[in-house]
Amino acid sequence: MTISFANALGIHESAMHVRGQRASILADNLANVDTPNYKAKDLDFKQVLSRATGSTKETFAVQVTNDRHLNAQGFDANPDMLYRVPHQPSIDGNTVEDQIEHAEYMKNALQFQASFTFLNSKFKGLTSALRGE
């Protein structure tokens, strides 16, 4: 009998990875709260997770059929990255709203902790099963 970690852990491994990515992006936003013209970014967690788990098959390809066609630019960037629309834009062009970024960061941290706790309980259960307890 083999143990499949993918079946045992489900989507929580991918969810923790995406939560880590989102935490990094939100931390960048908070670090640039006073940077003029900085645009706040975020991830659509549901879309990124479904792509990471392979439950959606979104493809977008550009085919050049003529030498005079322009190369598609901007498609190499992270397609999951979104720009946040501010409720109250700043005069200097910065779209980071300090209170919203802090709230989103804390919400993401709590959800990361929930996934971590769930995975920890799964590992404890597997360990108990292996020991025959």
Side-chain angles (χ1 to χ4, degrees), residues 18-54:
V18 175
R19 292 263 177 235
Q21 284 180 323
R22 186 164 187 242
S24 175
I25 292 167
L26 294 173
D28 285 346
N29 289 345
L30 288 169
N32 289 295
V33 71
D34 293 326
T35 303
N37 296 318
Y38 183 82
K39 306 298 180 206
K41 301 172 200 157
D42 202 353
L43 291 177
D44 182 359
F45 178 79
K46 193 181 262 185
Q47 183 179 12
V48 175
L49 183 62
S50 65
R51 189 173 296 134
T53 58

Side-chain angles (χ1 to χ4, degrees), residues 17-111:
H17 179 70
V18 175
R19 292 263 177 235
Q21 284 180 323
R22 186 164 187 242
S24 175
I25 292 167
L26 294 173
D28 285 346
N29 289 345
L30 288 169
N32 289 295
V33 71
D34 293 326
T35 303
N37 296 318
Y38 183 82
K39 306 298 180 206
K41 301 172 200 157
D42 202 353
L43 291 177
D44 182 359
F45 178 79
K46 193 181 262 185
Q47 183 179 12
V48 175
L49 183 62
S50 65
R51 189 173 296 134
T53 58
S55 59
T56 58
K57 296 181 179 182
E58 295 179 22
T59 58
F60 183 80
V62 177
Q63 183 176 12
V64 177
T65 57
N66 189 320
D67 291 338
R68 296 187 320 184
H69 286 167
L70 299 174
N71 288 331
Q73 295 188 8
F75 294 112
D76 294 336
N78 187 353
D80 302 321
M81 191 72 67
L82 303 172
Y83 289 97
R84 193 185 310 271
V85 177
H87 295 285
Q88 187 170 2
S90 173
I91 293 173
D92 64 359
N94 187 316
T95 62
V96 177
E97 295 175 303
D98 195 26
Q99 301 297 324
I100 291 174
E101 296 300 328
H102 275 101
E104 289 295 323
Y105 190 86
M106 290 305 300
K107 190 166 70 175
N108 188 59
L110 288 173
Q111 291 165 339

